[in-house]
């Protein structure tokens, strides 16, 4: 009897998933005919989900509940700021809901801020991830496990259908 492949670090995993918040509202899901594909153990997905999928086999279905700590973090009030209009480019019309990138001081990754309010010269922004503070309720199904290529291991992400495109 052949064993179904097991989810382990360094494998490329394909999953179908539905993500809901604690209120049962659907936030996200994988594409209908294209499972989400990622490199396991490379922090491509939130920690709690990665841990929940570890050691599953192809065909396994599971509900994985991820606390904010192991998901997108708690809401950080310090990332909610009000700036003056002149901190932004002149030629852009600023509206609530707009997102833009800013350099972050600590890890070198650009941070995504969302404008949450525009009142005259005062622009309120929020640098928290839109899902910060949310407990994430995933329903997942493992549909593929394969070895990562050398390129994928080097890049730290999966290539091909459902994965990174370049
Ligand atoms: Zn790559």
């Amino acid at each position: 009897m052949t064993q179904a492949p097991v989810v382990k670090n360094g494998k490329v995993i394909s999953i179908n998933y539905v993500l809901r918040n604690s209120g049962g509202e659907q936030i996200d899901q994988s594409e209908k005919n294209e499972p989400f594909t990622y490199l396991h153990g490379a922090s491509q997905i939130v920690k709690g989900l990665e841990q929940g999928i570890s050691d599953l086999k192809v065909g396994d279905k599971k509900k994985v509940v991820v606390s904010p700590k192991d998901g997108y973090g708690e809401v950080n009030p310090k990332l909610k700021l009000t700036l003056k209009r002149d901190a932004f480019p002149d030629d852009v019309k600023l509206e609530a809901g707009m997102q833009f990138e800013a350099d972050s001081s600590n890890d070198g990754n650009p941070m995504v801020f969302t404008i949450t309010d525009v009142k005259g010269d005062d622009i309120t922004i929020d640098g928290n991830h839109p899902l910060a503070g949310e407990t994430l309720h995933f329903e997942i199904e493992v549909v593929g496990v394969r070895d990562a290529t050398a390129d994928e291991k080097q890049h730290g992400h999966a290539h091909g259908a459902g994965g990174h495109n370049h």
Side-chain angles (χ1 to χ4, degrees), residues 15-19 28-31 36 138-141:
I15 57 169
N16 291 320
Y17 71 91
V18 175
L19 170 59
D28 194 15
Q29 64 177 333
S30 48
E31 305 288 329
F36 175 75
F138 287 97
E139 276 178 57
I140 60 112
E141 177 185 11

Side-chain angles (χ1 to χ4, degrees), residues 1-61:
M1 221 179 89
T2 21
Q3 296 286 316
V6 174
V7 176
K8 283 199 176 73
N9 286 353
K11 299 276 189 184
V12 171
I13 314 303
S14 295
I15 57 169
N16 291 320
Y17 71 91
V18 175
L19 170 59
R20 293 188 177 83
N21 63 18
S22 293
E25 186 188 341
Q26 189 172 312
I27 303 169
D28 194 15
Q29 64 177 333
S30 48
E31 305 288 329
K32 262 232 160 70
N33 297 306
E34 187 172 299
F36 175 75
T37 298
Y38 72 96
L39 178 61
H40 198 79
S43 301
Q44 266 200 278
I45 59 174
V46 294
K47 187 171 132 199
L49 181 60
E50 197 162 60
Q51 287 171 347
I53 297 176
S54 276
D55 301 325
L56 296 183
K57 297 188 293 293
V58 171
D60 282 349
K61 294 180 182 183

